[in-house]
Amino acid sequence: MLLTTIRQGVTDRWPDEVDVAKLNRLIASAVRFYSRFNPTVEELSVTTVANQKEYDLIALGATGCIGVREVLWYPAGATSNELRATEEWYRLLTQPVRYSMPSQRVIDDINQSAHIANMSGAYWYDSAESKLTIFPEPTVGGETVLVRYYATHAISGTTTYPTIPDADLDLIVGLVIADLLDAQGFAAAMSPDYAEGLEKVSFGKMGESTMTRAEELRGRVALKYGGGGAIVAP
C-alpha cells in the first residue's frame, strides 16, 4: 500500500490541511494499531546455546515482534532427526487399518499427536521484554529452533507498506482520521464555553461526539478481523 495513497485518502476526507511530516507520523501510528488485529507473520531461526533457556528475540533479529505464533522446539539432548525417527518408530507400532474400525485412523492421529507433544519441548514468551524461554533447558547447543512470530507491518524505504492489503485502505485512512478526531476532541474539551449577548458557544458536546466517532472508526478494524492477533503464551 503506497504511502501517497494513504495520504491522499486522508486529505480527501479531512477538511483541514495537515503537515506532511505529521501526517506520516499519524499513518505510522495507525499501522501499529492495525497490526494488533491483522499482523504480518514472520519466521526466525534461533540456534540454541547449551544451558541457556532464555533468548532475546529482538536482539536475534525479530523485527517488529509483537507476539509469538508458534515455536518448533525439540527436547533437550535430542535432535530433530532423532525426534523424527521416534515418530516413525511410534507409527510402526500403531495397529493396521481395519475396515470394521473406520475411526481407527483418527484415534491413531490423536495418540501420535499426544506422543509428539510429550516429546517436544514447551516455551513461554514475555511480550514486555520480547524474551523467549524454552523448556526443558537445552543441554547441548547448535540445535535450530524455528520461531513464527507476529510483527507490525513495516514501511519499505519511505514509499510503501508492502504487507498491508490494498483492500484495507479505508481502514488505515479511518484510523488516521480517528487520531485527528481525538486531537480535535481534546482541543474542544480544553476550550471554555462563552456567551456574547444573546449568543452562546459551547464546546462540551463537540468533544464527546468527535471521540465517539473516532472509536467507531477504530472499531471497524476489530469488526473485520475479530480481535487482536498477538499472543503472549502458547
Side-chain angles (χ1 to χ4, degrees):
M1 183 178 294
L2 292 174
L3 188 61
T4 53
T5 303
I6 302 173
R7 286 202 297 257
Q8 186 63 54
V10 175
T11 55
D12 285 347
R13 294 167 174 80
W14 188 252
D16 300 326
E17 184 177 352
V18 183
D19 178 73
V20 173
K22 177 181 178 180
L23 188 53
N24 287 343
R25 292 193 299 271
L26 291 174
I27 292 172
S29 175
V31 170
R32 288 193 297 272
F33 183 91
Y34 171 85
S35 297
R36 291 164 51 189
F37 297 88
N38 184 36
T40 181
V41 179
E42 307 291 344
E43 290 187 354
L44 174 69
S45 293
V46 177
T47 302
T48 60
V49 178
N51 303 317
Q52 178 179 324
K53 63 181 180 180
E54 188 175 87
Y55 298 84
D56 187 336
L57 294 185
I58 299 298
L60 292 173
T63 305
C65 179
I66 56 176
V68 170
R69 179 175 179 174
E70 62 178 339
V71 176
L72 301 183
W73 164 233
Y74 306 106
T79 65
S80 57
N81 287 333
E82 289 170 342
L83 183 58
R84 281 195 290 268
T86 303
E87 295 173 14
E88 181 66 16
W89 169 78
Y90 181 82
R91 187 186 66 79
L92 294 174
L93 291 182
T94 59
Q95 299 180 19
V97 176
R98 300 176 182 177
Y99 292 105
S100 60
M101 301 176 63
S103 298
Q104 187 62 50
R105 284 186 179 273
V106 177
I107 296 172
D108 287 345
D109 286 343
I110 294 173
N111 289 336
Q112 187 178 36
S113 296
H115 172 77
I116 294 173
N118 289 333
M119 286 292 296
S120 301
Y123 70 92
W124 174 264
Y125 174 67
D126 181 355
S127 60
E129 298 184 357
S130 197
K131 296 290 182 65
L132 178 72
T133 303
I134 54 178
F135 304 97
E137 182 179 288
T139 57
V140 294
E143 267 294 294
T144 298
V145 178
L146 179 62
V147 181
R148 292 191 178 97
Y149 64 93
Y150 296 108
T152 55
H153 295 270
I155 192 170
S156 177
T158 59
T159 60
T160 182
Y161 287 93
T163 54
I164 299 179
D166 291 337
D168 285 349
L169 173 63
D170 287 343
L171 294 180
I172 300 296
V173 169
L175 291 173
V176 175
I177 293 177
D179 281 346
L180 291 170
L181 285 170
D182 272 347
Q184 192 178 70
F186 286 137
M190 297 172 64
S191 300
D193 298 341
Y194 66 90
E196 184 175 349
L198 297 177
E199 295 184 359
K200 180 179 180 181
V201 178
S202 176
F203 295 95
K205 291 184 178 180
M206 178 181 175
E208 181 180 347
S209 62
T210 54
M211 292 183 182
T212 299
R213 179 60 174 161
E215 289 306 307
E216 179 186 342
L217 290 170
R218 294 188 180 103
R220 293 179 181 180
V221 183
L223 185 63
K224 179 173 182 178
Y225 290 105
I231 55 175
V232 296

